């Protein structure tokens, strides 16, 4: 299975919460750091989920399909995605075929 390059028309940023330095007392300072930028195909959740997302505050689910490489295969459940002015919490990562791609399912809270 290979991913159609024409569908990977969205840019996503996958971030990881990492130590970014030390404060004056030598305590670690953590922040979200860019782990990888990738082109992705984005598939939003079902129609009922999209209707829920139109409410004042609701969750929106989507699957992001990216090409497989050492970085995308290393995405963790504790990472997050920045896309479409939302922060997406990763719920699962699934390899697609033999090194073809990775499907990342995530949820964003709107409102």
């Amino acid at each position: 299975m290979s991913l159609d390059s024409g569908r990977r028309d969205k840019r996503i940023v996958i971030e990881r919460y990492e130590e970014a330095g030390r404060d004056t007392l030598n305590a670690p300072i953590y922040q979200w750091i860019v782990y990888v930028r990738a082109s992705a195909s984005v598939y939003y959740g079902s129609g009922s989920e999209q209707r829920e997302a139109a409410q004042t505050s609701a969750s929106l689910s989507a699957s992001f399909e990216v090409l497989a490489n050492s970085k995308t295969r290393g995405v963790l459940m504790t990472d997050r995605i920045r896309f479409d002015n939302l922060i997406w919490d990763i719920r699962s990562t699934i390899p697609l075929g033999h090194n073809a791609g990775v499907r990342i399912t995530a949820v964003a809270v709107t409102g």
Side-chain angles (χ1 to χ4, degrees):
M1 171 183 213
S2 72
L3 295 177
D4 179 13
S5 63
R7 286 286 298 157
R8 289 188 321 275
D9 58 351
K10 306 291 189 245
R11 293 293 290 170
I12 65 170
V13 176
I14 300 173
E15 298 177 326
R16 182 163 285 172
Y17 199 64
E18 293 183 339
E19 184 176 326
R22 297 279 175 159
D23 66 13
T24 57
L25 299 174
N26 203 31
I29 299 170
Y30 291 91
Q31 66 184 37
W32 289 99
I33 306 287
V34 173
Y35 173 69
V36 65
R37 297 176 196 277
S39 296
S41 299
V42 180
Y43 302 96
Y44 289 97
S46 69
S48 63
E49 291 168 332
Q50 290 176 2
R51 284 189 295 277
E52 288 175 16
Q55 299 170 1
T56 304
S57 178
S59 62
L60 178 64
S61 67
S63 293
F64 301 87
E65 292 184 358
V66 296
L67 286 177
N69 60 43
S70 61
K71 288 283 200 170
T72 58
R73 284 190 300 271
V75 171
L76 305 171
M77 300 286 287
T78 53
D79 295 339
R80 71 182 190 182
I81 295 173
R82 265 194 303 118
F83 170 71
D84 201 21
N85 293 320
L86 294 171
I87 301 296
W88 300 78
D89 293 325
I90 295 174
R91 299 292 191 232
S92 68
T93 61
I94 302 167
L96 300 172
H98 181 66
N99 289 329
V102 177
R103 178 180 295 136
I104 304 167
T105 303
V107 175
V109 175
T110 62

